[in-house]
Amino acid sequence: MLKQLSAVLLLSIIIASCGGSNGKTGSPKLTKEPTLAQLDSIGKAFVPQIGTYGGELHVALQNDPNGFCPHTTNSGYSQSVLSYIYESLITVDPVT
């Protein structure tokens, strides 16, 4: 009885998963592309502001970093803090 019930359940799952589609696949497409003037007005709304030098940054971590020397630490918590410190010191030139 248990084998028959599991076979019926398996068969119903297979049949349900093979159902036809209604012709709509993927994400809905935009019907109207935004104009350049609209994009420009959106860009002007997000004008960056100059901040003040110094201050504190509070980052929530599950554990304390065990050091800030990138050569001696192998902690993921330290690496996440070090990425904020050393992120802008080295950049990659996409041309070379």
Side-chain angles (χ1 to χ4, degrees):
M1 180 69 181
L2 185 62
K3 287 183 181 181
Q4 291 174 347
L5 182 61
S6 62
V8 169
L9 181 63
L10 180 63
L11 184 62
S12 64
I13 291 173
I14 291 172
I15 290 173
S17 66
C18 293
S21 67
N22 58 2
K24 297 179 181 177
T25 58
S27 61
K29 294 184 178 180
L30 295 175
T31 57
K32 186 177 177 184
E33 298 264 338
T35 64
L36 186 59
Q38 290 172 336
L39 292 175
D40 190 41
S41 67
I42 293 171
K44 288 180 182 177
F46 298 103
V47 176
Q49 298 177 359
I50 297 174
T52 58
Y53 181 77
E56 294 181 359
L57 174 66
H58 296 271
V59 179
L61 297 173
Q62 293 179 352
N63 203 353
D64 292 334
N66 62 0
F68 296 111
C69 181
H71 301 292
T72 59
T73 184
N74 59 359
S75 168
Y77 303 111
S78 296
Q79 293 297 327
S80 64
V81 173
L82 289 173
S83 67
Y84 291 117
I85 296 171
Y86 296 113
E87 180 179 8
S88 64
L89 296 179
I90 299 174
T91 60
V92 177
D93 187 7
V95 177
T96 59

